[in-house]
Amino acid sequence: MPTKAIRGIAASPGIAIGPILRYEAAKLVANQHYTSDIPHELLHLEEALTQARQEIHGFYEQAKQTIGTQEGAIFEAHEAFLNDPALLEQVHTAIQQQSSSAAFAWQEGIERYANQLRLLHDEYLAARATDLEDVGQRVLRILQGGQEQALRLTEPTIIVATDLTPSETVRFDTQMVCAFCTATGTPTSHAAILAKALGIPAITGLGSDLAQLADGLQVIVDGNTGEILLAPDAETLERYRLHAQIQTQKQRIALEASHQPAFTLDGKHVEIVANINSPDQVAEALTYGAEGVGLLRTEFLFLERATAPTEEEQFGIYRAILTGMHQQPVVVRTFDIGGDKPAPYMPVAEEMNPFLGVRGIRLALTQKELLQTQLRALLRAGVGQQLRIMFPMVSSSEEIDVLREHLMEARKTLEERQIAAAANVQIGIMIEVPAAALMADVLAEQVDFFSIGTNDLTQYTLAADRTNEAIAPFADALHPAVLRLIDSVCKAAHARQRWVGLCGELGGDPLALPVLLGLGLDELSMAPKAIPLCKQQVRLYSQEQAHEIAQQALKKRNAAEVRAYLKACSHTIGDH
Ligand code: PEP
Ligand code: MG
């Protein structure tokens, strides 16, 4: 009898085998209770907030040690919630004017704030609502005099939960937890990000299938495919054990060779570079052998704050990244705000379809001063460095004309102020809108390079919202429709001697590598940890072999056929 399997969203790669432990943190609730001693309640709240700050600071220090500053910063954001003036004012008012107990007032304040975030129907903000509730429960526990419950695990265990908060994720004993599986959440929820940073396989978005994962059931979790095999037979278990061992071995070998450039068997160099969001990730990118940065998502410098970063602030950050990368190329994308990444100080009227609305350069072009500030900061930071500037969400040639005028204006302002600006900056655009892909021959005349954003190109081509877990199977970047667009973009660019990179999640997927190589991509940009294995993959193929694989993939009828074909190819090449 074949082993039964259920499928969720692959959120962190790797294979784990073990028994399930259902983990559901009991949700604390405060009942309304009126106080006659308002100063006492205010003091009680203040003391609880102080203790919560200390606890969270402890997590921050612990996370910094075990998984790095970047991921640890999640807990800095938790601390910021505790100091949020609007939230604190609401809670104080409820205590002072309604004589609410501190616990009830706090609970109400958190619920209201979290609901506001969820009502915006945005994956990123919904994940922040979970963070906020995590902080809310911590303070409530302290106010109610409870102790933090630690889960004691005695054997390697697969944790199954409806959802996991960041502080739960980081508190688990990583020697004993071998995978996380959740009903909700997407690959961008913080628990998934932490799982990736901890190197623990994770599957999210299991929905009601979670009910099939009973306590003690033996399962295989495949974080690469999102599949969970229930009560596998001895032969399946053996196969996966071997697979997991080979994966670990391959990772080790790949890491040893990760500082060498990646050449195909017949000598084509493919630039393997990193996707990063902040200077903290430069060290990680270098550790894993990045030959540069293929995508610096600058919008992360603009989010979760009340005002935009100043020119000086941005200059400092860009300069630190450029110099930190030791003269290697750095592609900086101008802020891609809107869609799933709104900023409170860049208001956009309510939109039915934010992904089809005012986002990326559409928004930037309405915020002339912010764009000018960023371009000036970039031109200053790029002096003597290999800076490349890239614009997101471009859909027409007119936009490129206007963006080039903006760049000239930023240069002119610096000249007038007698401030040095970088010369020879390559200018590129993201190809993430199908219209841009189809018009690539025209757009290539206006820029130095393209970088294909398959995350958005896939959602727009297949009409499948990238943040909607219910339609995740439709949004497969290996769909031949997406591959055909990538193919025509590469041809159009190369016919005009422009280089083409790819910086969506597909770029770091080892299964996709031969196709991307065969379609002629010159650069692949990915999460730093994915670099060593992808470099190894490049070394397995000649350009001719990869070209043949790509041609076959382009002819397939759907994504499933492409995947099956690529799996068969990688078996032949001896990679699996
Ligand atoms: C993409 O769309 O593929 C991309 C890299 O940009 P982002 O994921 O930031 O939208
Ligand atoms: Mg994008």
Side-chain angles (χ1 to χ4, degrees):
M1 200 174 67
T3 301
K4 190 171 173 210
I6 56 174
R7 191 180 273 276
I9 303 168
S12 173
I15 288 170
I17 301 172
I20 281 174
L21 180 76
R22 296 286 302 228
Y23 171 85
E24 298 298 341
K27 189 168 182 252
L28 299 174
V29 179
N31 293 323
Q32 173 62 304
H33 159 76
Y34 296 101
T35 179
S36 52
D37 190 350
I38 289 172
H40 170 79
E41 289 304 311
L42 289 172
L43 184 64
H44 192 32
L45 176 69
E46 209 36 64
E47 285 170 353
L49 290 172
T50 305
Q51 185 180 331
R53 283 185 197 108
Q54 283 163 0
E55 289 182 6
I56 291 172
H57 196 72
F59 286 135
Y60 174 55
E61 292 298 324
Q62 183 190 340
K64 259 196 337 194
Q65 302 286 328
T66 51
I67 51 178
T69 318
Q70 171 73 15
E71 282 75 16
I74 289 170
F75 294 104
E76 275 191 317
H78 278 201
E79 267 187 272
F81 282 135
L82 292 176
N83 300 323
D84 187 300
L87 172 67
L88 292 181
E89 193 189 318
Q90 267 187 30
V91 180
H92 285 161
T93 309
I95 298 174
Q96 285 163 331
Q97 294 181 5
Q98 289 148 29
S99 305
S100 280
S101 67
F104 189 76
W106 173 256
Q107 174 180 279
E108 294 273 284
I110 290 283
E111 265 174 24
R112 198 169 307 127
Y113 197 164
N115 286 341
Q116 278 166 4
L117 291 173
R118 289 215 169 84
L119 278 175
L120 294 169
H121 297 296
D122 170 274
E123 182 198 4
Y124 180 80
L125 293 177
R128 301 298 76 75
T130 308
D131 289 349
L132 179 66
E133 284 165 348
D134 190 7
V135 175
Q137 285 282 301
R138 173 167 307 284
V139 175
L140 204 53
R141 174 183 53 74
I142 299 168
L143 284 168
Q144 295 181 337
Q147 293 296 319
E148 189 133 58
Q149 298 297 323
L151 194 66
R152 304 225 180 283
L153 301 173
T154 52
E155 61 172 335
T157 301
I158 290 164
I159 298 288
V160 170
T162 304
D163 199 3
L164 285 172
T165 62
S167 59
E168 283 161 348
T169 313
V170 79
R171 252 188 16 244
F172 286 124
D173 175 357
T174 50
Q175 301 298 317
M176 288 297 169
V177 171
C178 47
F180 296 114
C181 303
T182 57
T184 57
T186 68
T188 54
S189 49
H190 271 148
I193 294 170
L194 286 171
K196 259 193 215 160
L198 290 163
I200 294 175
I203 295 180
T204 60
L206 282 161
S208 57
D209 279 344
L210 196 81
Q212 301 189 45
L213 302 177
D215 250 340
L217 180 73
Q218 282 285 335
V219 296
I220 298 170
V221 173
D222 188 342
N224 309 309
T225 61
E227 210 170 29
I228 303 175
L229 301 163
L230 313 183
D233 55 32
E235 192 225 308
T236 312
L237 262 179
E238 199 39 46
R239 194 155 40 86
Y240 272 87
R241 279 212 180 99
L242 195 64
H243 190 36
Q245 266 174 19
I246 294 171
Q247 291 280 339
T248 313
Q249 181 83 341
K250 268 176 34 182
Q251 265 292 0
R252 197 181 50 72
I253 295 170
L255 205 55
E256 278 165 15
S258 65
H259 289 276
Q260 310 301 325
F263 288 97
T264 57
L265 288 175
D266 55 335
K268 175 178 173 175
H269 177 221
V270 182
E271 232 175 275
I272 306 289
V273 291
N275 287 352
I276 66 170
N277 307 332
S278 76
D280 290 345
Q281 285 174 301
V282 166
E284 193 191 7
L286 293 174
T287 303
Y288 288 103
E291 297 168 81
V293 169
L295 173 63
L296 170 64
R297 288 181 163 102
T298 61
E299 58 275 12
F300 285 96
L301 314 174
F302 290 71
L303 302 175
E304 286 183 38
R305 46 187 294 159
T307 54
T310 62
E311 181 177 325
E312 280 318 302
E313 207 177 322
Q314 290 188 59
F315 165 74
I317 291 169
Y318 304 144
R319 189 78 193 161
I321 292 171
L322 283 155
T323 53
M325 288 306 295
H326 308 304
Q327 298 292 325
Q328 300 189 108
V330 175
V331 178
V332 183
R333 177 172 80 181
T334 58
F335 58 85
D336 183 15
I337 292 173
D340 60 341
K341 292 175 280 196
Y345 49 89
M346 279 191 225
V348 174
E350 193 171 328
E351 298 178 304
M352 287 289 281
N353 295 301
F355 273 120
L356 304 181
V358 186
R359 68 169 290 210
I361 49 106
R362 296 175 184 179
L363 178 61
L365 290 174
T366 70
Q367 303 284 330
K368 192 165 170 282
E369 240 340 286
L370 290 181
L371 182 60
Q372 281 296 310
T373 305
Q374 180 170 41
L375 293 175
R376 285 196 302 271
L378 278 172
L379 290 172
R380 287 172 55 197
V383 174
Q385 306 290 327
Q386 277 212 61
L387 169 68
R388 297 166 177 183
I389 297 179
M390 175 160 78
F391 297 106
M393 265 302 276
V394 170
S395 59
S396 74
S397 65
E398 297 94 304
E399 285 167 338
I400 305 178
D401 289 338
V402 178
L403 290 163
R404 281 199 167 275
E405 280 165 24
H406 268 281
L407 204 58
M408 268 162 39
E409 187 181 329
R411 273 192 187 285
K412 200 161 140 254
T413 310
L414 289 175
E415 210 177 288
E416 283 162 9
R417 295 180 190 167
Q418 299 187 329
I419 298 173
N424 305 324
V425 179
Q426 287 193 13
I427 304 302
I429 56 167
M430 300 269 307
I431 300 285
E432 47 189 351
V433 178
L438 293 165
M439 297 297 286
D441 54 340
V442 174
L443 306 186
E445 301 288 352
Q446 297 172 274
V447 295
D448 301 303
F449 69 92
F450 290 147
S451 186
I452 304 178
T454 45
N455 304 339
D456 278 314
L457 188 60
T458 304
Q459 78 161 344
Y460 294 134
T461 304
L462 301 172
D465 181 343
R466 63 190 271 190
T467 64
N468 182 346
E469 59 205 27
I471 51 164
F474 290 92
D476 192 332
L478 278 173
H479 194 292
V482 180
L483 297 182
R484 287 178 187 206
L485 285 177
I486 299 175
D487 182 42
S488 73
V489 170
C490 289
K491 285 186 176 137
H494 289 157
R496 288 155 190 85
Q497 288 77 47
R498 307 293 192 259
W499 66 268
V500 194
L502 188 147
C503 59
E505 291 303 299
L506 190 71
D509 180 351
L511 190 68
L513 195 280
V515 182
L516 302 181
L517 210 57
L519 293 176
L521 284 146
D522 304 291
E523 178 239 51
L524 295 173
S525 194
M526 59 197 71
K529 278 205 173 82
I531 289 174
L533 268 186
C534 275
K535 280 193 172 179
Q536 283 299 74
Q537 284 283 95
V538 172
R539 297 175 183 129
L540 289 175
Y541 298 90
S542 69
Q543 288 181 84
E544 199 186 323
Q545 279 170 334
H547 178 75
E548 182 48 33
I549 292 174
Q551 293 314 303
Q552 293 303 323
L554 288 171
K555 287 187 212 150
K556 299 293 173 203
R557 292 184 311 165
N558 52 43
E561 280 189 11
V562 173
R563 284 189 178 275
Y565 170 67
L566 292 177
K567 277 194 186 132
C569 289
S570 57
H571 280 296
T572 320
I573 299 285
D575 180 47
H576 275 253

